[in-house]
Amino acid sequence: MKRIMSSKIGFFMIAVVAIWLKSYLIYLNEFDLDIQNSIQQFLLFFNPMSSALIFLGLGLFAKGRRAGWFVIGIHAAMSFLLYANVVFYRFNTDFITLPTLTQTSNFGSLGGSIASLVEWHDLFYGLDIVLLVALFLFIKPTWSTERLQKRQPMLVMMVGMLAFMVNLTMAEADRPQLLERTFDRNYIVKYLGAYNFTIYDALQNIKSSTQRVLADSNDITEVENYTKNKYAEPNEELFGVGEGKNVIKIHLESFQSFLIDYELHGEEVTPFLNSLVHDQSQNYTYFENFFHQTEQGKTADAEFILDNSLYGLPQGAAFVTKGNNTYQALPAIMKQQQNYTSGVFHGDNKSFWNRDEIYKAFAIDEFYEEAHYDMSEEQVIGYGLKDKPFFKESMPYLESMSQPFYAHMMTLTHHHPYLIDEEDATIAPAETGDGSVDRYFQTARYLDESLEQFFNDLKESGLYEDSIIMIYGDHYGISQNHNRAMEEILGEEITPFKNAQLQRVPFMIKIPGVEGQGTVQKYSGQIDVMPTLLHLLGIDAQDYIQFGTDMFSEDHQEVVPFRSGDFITPEYSKVSGTYYDNATGEEIEPTEEMEKMSENVAHELELSDKVVYGDLLRFYTPNEKWEPVDTSDYRYEVEED
Ligand code: GP9
Ligand code: MN
């Protein structure tokens, strides 16, 4: 035993096991990582091992006794990083990122309370370091004479790398595109561990700041010229009709327009939404040719596009990778121009899609997330809180907001894989044999019922009448992987052309005192929502950098770009590079005009990316009234009662 401990490799292995087990213990006891299956359970245990081998292994390259001090030093540094995360997490329920380290606000209010975040049992987390030092000093390793073959440290590294590859492959199998799509810090820690998370975060930030550093203030001029030129004058009759009204924006998770009026087993799937579309007395205007324009960032992309009129990024979610940019978002403009307060309501973990950070840059005042709701087991399914309790419990918060407010209600239950408890299912599943597709109708029905409940509560509270109500779908719910089942549902072949047409999501709006237009055919997309709303409030969108245009404007161009560079117009569509006639669905040879349109779409996307990658809005002052948002003014905490 003594011989093992006093050999270099023996000592190293003790350090590895110590940091490995300690990390695992901390994952289990300190973080709420929402482990959902045995793969995740296994990876949580497994992931510290590769980090321990690789990082501590670096120490082995040092000569003689110094190797021991290196191993101990690296061990202590890893322990410190992990423990810093423990303390940070106790306060923020989130992990440390590079930007949070520089945002003093994260620590400002923490300063005085660090003491209260430290607990006695934390001493235990430092015990292994003390033991390692003692072991090293008192067991007197025979290292000065031991000759490690050069191969050994290399071998350790290779085993570490191999373990990491196994780890990553298993993680990717459980959560495809884990690193590419940049979901949630929780996920990276859960699958790859706290150490790899820090590296991942650092790489992301280096990439981001390089893009930022390379940009300069001249870059915004070209963009400004483009958006000013594209700008569509407001519809005179509607400009300012909504000024001072509350705005309630409802996010329909994974809701595609084909559900509207769809009948399953002879029943309407979404009778309530259908009634808004068809009952003229309800005063809704329904845009039936409205498209989502999201990519990998899914919900986050939808939020990003709707509140900024900028496109999401071709890869990952701008919410995560560009969470520290300067924005001139809808909530900020509404606040500065018309004294609106804003709130987002969502029954999921606040750090998902980095919301708790980027919302500050949008000047969102309140974020009602998981911690504000009763998340007991019977209230939760899939990603989080069920829509009915979500809307119910949101009511008091909504009523307490100072008016006029801009409230963004984000539903969740109608999310892949469309799980639903038996008692919540009021329509039988479809019968295609494809589980997701079959249940899709059940969760859509549940969402529809939750909306009806919410509308009744709004009416009862007196908020309904005088509020602008906006409803939109965020992105598709049924991907192309389910074409076979969808063909059965729709009774037609799902060609690439048809699939593009299926990217329609609902957009409806009610403006107090304005007669609804029923169903309108105009083509538009999520990028157009912000300028539309600004004009309804009487704020001219022209001052701001926006790629969409007012949907009610006479000058609104009916071209809907997608992130891929494809696009749809009322007459023709470009799908995966091929042009189709909308009327026949047949392939067509592009005319010069079509090709020109295509170039323009590509140019527009490129300009939007320039803004986001280069953080160009920091160079732009929309008007004299504009004040850059100070993110340290915002903190999302749960008030203790
Ligand atoms: C997560 C929820 C779902 O909080 O908004 O996100 P999605 O997977 O649709 O992007
Ligand atoms: Mn979504």
Side-chain angles (χ1 to χ4, degrees):
M1 189 66 186
K2 198 169 169 197
R3 248 191 51 214
I4 294 178
M5 289 205 285
S6 55
S7 83
K8 206 173 190 178
I9 285 292
F11 180 77
F12 168 76
M13 286 316 290
I14 291 170
V16 166
V17 170
I19 196 99
W20 177 4
L21 292 183
K22 177 164 76 178
S23 306
Y24 181 58
L25 259 175
I26 286 181
Y27 293 168
L28 289 181
N29 291 322
E30 302 286 351
F31 306 140
D32 178 12
L33 292 171
D34 188 23
I35 301 297
Q36 284 166 343
N37 59 36
S38 47
I39 297 192
Q40 296 178 10
Q41 183 60 60
F42 171 75
L43 288 182
L44 191 70
F45 171 71
F46 185 70
N47 77 50
M49 193 251 274
S50 61
S51 304
L53 285 173
I54 294 170
F55 300 128
L56 297 183
L58 289 173
L60 289 182
F61 286 97
K63 285 211 180 91
R65 270 184 80 77
R66 262 190 304 168
W69 289 120
F70 270 105
V71 169
I72 292 173
I74 297 168
H75 186 112
M78 289 173 78
S79 303
F80 177 77
L81 175 71
L82 190 59
Y83 184 63
N85 270 296
V86 167
V87 175
F88 188 83
Y89 193 93
R90 284 183 188 151
F91 192 69
N92 294 288
T93 18
D94 205 344
F95 298 96
I96 300 175
T97 60
L98 276 186
T100 48
L101 283 181
T102 55
Q103 281 160 20
T104 42
S105 69
N106 282 291
F107 294 93
S109 48
L110 197 70
S113 60
I114 279 212
S116 68
L117 297 170
V118 173
E119 290 168 20
W120 278 112
H121 75 250
D122 295 353
L123 282 176
F124 180 74
Y125 297 146
L127 205 62
D128 56 337
I129 304 175
V130 179
L131 289 177
L132 275 182
V133 174
L135 199 66
F136 186 62
L137 291 178
F138 300 119
I139 300 257
K140 292 221 180 75
T142 43
W143 292 7
S144 31
T145 51
E146 180 185 359
R147 296 190 55 173
L148 259 197
Q149 289 166 335
K150 277 225 177 86
R151 279 209 325 268
Q152 273 176 314
M154 283 312 280
L155 199 69
V156 166
M157 287 305 217
M158 273 161 68
V159 174
M161 291 290 186
L162 191 73
F164 177 72
M165 291 318 288
V166 170
N167 189 162
L168 189 62
T169 312
M170 287 179 75
E172 280 277 332
D174 196 52
R175 172 65 62 174
Q177 299 179 300
L178 174 68
L179 297 179
E180 221 176 317
R181 287 194 50 201
T182 62
F183 301 96
D184 189 352
R185 290 183 272 285
N186 251 333
Y187 284 29
I188 311 264
V189 175
K190 165 160 83 175
Y191 287 109
L192 304 179
Y195 312 105
N196 288 320
F197 165 71
T198 304
I199 295 175
Y200 173 75
D201 175 61
L203 291 176
Q204 285 273 7
N205 279 291
I206 291 169
K207 191 169 139 205
S208 212
S209 20
T210 320
Q211 288 161 339
R212 195 171 179 274
V213 164
L214 292 176
D216 69 52
S217 56
N218 297 326
D219 293 333
I220 193 73
T221 315
E222 187 192 5
V223 180
E224 189 184 353
N225 291 341
Y226 181 88
T227 56
K228 291 240 155 91
N229 186 37
K230 189 183 176 188
Y231 168 77
E233 300 261 342
N235 174 324
E236 264 172 41
E237 273 168 41
L238 292 175
F239 188 77
V241 286
E243 184 170 345
K245 305 284 180 207
N246 295 326
V247 178
I248 302 175
K249 184 172 85 175
I250 305 171
H251 169 113
L252 302 182
E253 179 57 45
S254 304
F255 197 104
Q256 287 172 250
S257 296
F258 79 85
L259 283 166
I260 300 287
D261 290 337
Y262 187 85
E263 289 191 10
L264 182 69
H265 319 302
E267 279 178 63
E268 286 176 75
V269 177
T270 60
F272 181 68
L273 280 165
N274 297 350
S275 77
L276 301 183
V277 170
H278 297 297
D279 178 357
Q280 286 290 331
S281 68
Q282 307 238 34
N283 282 318
Y284 280 80
T285 302
Y286 171 58
F287 287 79
E288 69 172 358
N289 293 313
F290 180 86
F291 291 81
H292 84 82
Q293 293 163 299
T294 64
E295 247 307 320
Q296 292 186 324
K298 296 303 251 331
T299 294
D301 279 359
E303 292 184 59
F304 186 81
I305 302 169
L306 262 85
D307 269 351
N308 294 279
S309 197
L310 295 168
Y311 292 97
L313 293 176
Q315 250 201 358
F319 254 47
V320 181
T321 59
K322 297 294 160 187
N324 300 297
N325 274 9
T326 296
Y327 291 102
Q328 294 164 356
L330 192 52
I333 297 173
M334 287 167 77
K335 176 194 287 227
Q336 295 189 15
Q337 299 268 337
Q338 297 187 354
N339 257 329
Y340 273 83
T341 52
S342 55
V344 177
F345 299 70
H346 189 48
D348 191 9
N349 176 9
K350 67 176 180 178
S351 70
F352 201 97
W353 289 134
N354 193 34
R355 289 186 174 105
D356 56 342
E357 289 305 324
I358 199 165
Y359 282 176
K360 297 175 185 169
F362 293 176
I364 289 170
D365 296 305
E366 306 288 343
F367 182 17
Y368 302 98
E369 36 76 38
E370 203 172 82
H372 293 76
Y373 297 95
D374 171 5
M375 301 294 291
S376 46
E377 209 177 315
E378 68 286 359
Q379 300 234 80
V380 167
I381 196 154
Y383 272 74
L385 187 61
K386 294 181 186 176
D387 295 339
K388 285 184 187 176
F390 164 69
F391 280 124
K392 253 295 166 254
E393 291 180 32
S394 296
M395 278 309 295
Y397 293 129
L398 194 60
E399 290 183 77
S400 74
M401 280 179 73
S402 111
Q403 300 193 18
F405 59 65
Y406 170 46
H408 185 190
M409 321 294 302
M410 304 222 303
T411 64
L412 194 52
T413 311
H414 185 46
H415 189 289
H416 187 264
Y418 311 108
L419 304 176
I420 188 158
D421 287 328
E422 213 174 304
E423 69 267 22
D424 294 324
T426 58
I427 186 167
E431 287 158 359
T432 66
D434 177 328
S436 294
V437 173
D438 292 352
R439 289 186 302 271
Y440 185 71
F441 299 92
Q442 297 185 289
T443 47
R445 165 65 72 79
Y446 177 79
L447 171 57
D448 190 65
E449 288 172 354
S450 75
L451 276 179
E452 184 168 19
Q453 169 212 298
F454 181 50
F455 274 46
N456 288 335
D457 288 343
L458 283 176
K459 285 177 184 160
E460 211 169 288
S461 71
L463 284 172
Y464 184 82
E465 263 321 292
D466 215 30
S467 297
I468 294 180
I469 299 198
M470 226 159 77
I471 302 176
Y472 73 96
D474 66 342
H475 48 75
Y476 66 79
I478 305 291
S479 71
Q480 295 202 63
N481 294 336
H482 303 276
N483 276 358
R484 186 207 54 79
M486 277 300 279
E487 289 182 345
E488 210 172 298
I489 293 291
L490 298 175
E492 57 181 308
E493 194 192 339
I494 314 275
T495 58
F497 168 78
K498 178 70 191 170
N499 180 64
Q501 308 303 319
L502 278 171
Q503 304 311 308
R504 283 173 169 81
V505 294
F507 181 80
M508 8 186 147
I509 185 163
K510 169 191 83 90
I511 311 152
V514 177
E515 205 178 316
Q517 300 176 20
T519 301
V520 301
Q521 272 84 41
K522 230 183 217 181
Y523 277 59
S524 57
Q526 290 169 329
I527 198 88
D528 300 314
V529 173
M530 180 175 179
T532 307
L533 186 66
L534 283 178
H535 284 174
L536 291 173
L537 299 181
I539 302 170
D540 198 338
Q542 190 168 24
D543 290 351
Y544 304 93
I545 301 290
Q546 298 182 353
F547 287 91
T549 59
D550 181 350
M551 291 148 73
F552 288 115
S553 164
E554 299 271 316
D555 303 338
H556 171 80
Q557 284 173 37
E558 296 185 77
V559 186
V560 189
F562 298 109
R563 194 48 263 198
S564 57
D566 286 346
F567 60 98
I568 292 190
T569 76
E571 292 80 34
Y572 64 96
S573 310
K574 184 181 180 199
V575 183
S576 307
T578 306
Y579 292 80
Y580 296 87
D581 180 341
N582 287 355
T584 61
E586 299 290 329
E587 269 187 56
I588 45 172
E589 274 305 312
T591 62
E592 215 169 283
E593 184 201 314
M594 293 178 188
E595 277 174 343
K596 222 167 146 204
M597 187 65 81
S598 176
E599 275 166 32
N600 194 52
V601 163
H603 183 54
E604 180 165 314
L605 289 163
E606 193 190 314
L607 289 178
S608 172
D609 290 350
K610 259 191 173 172
V611 172
V612 182
Y613 283 132
D615 189 10
L616 295 186
L617 292 178
R618 71 197 145 122
F619 302 126
Y620 185 70
T621 313
N623 47 40
E624 310 91 76
K625 254 192 135 173
W626 175 256
E627 295 262 354
V629 174
D630 180 355
T631 51
S632 69
D633 290 345
Y634 302 89
R635 257 206 95 77
Y636 306 123
E637 283 169 3
V638 191
E639 277 168 40
E640 309 275 340
D641 26 47

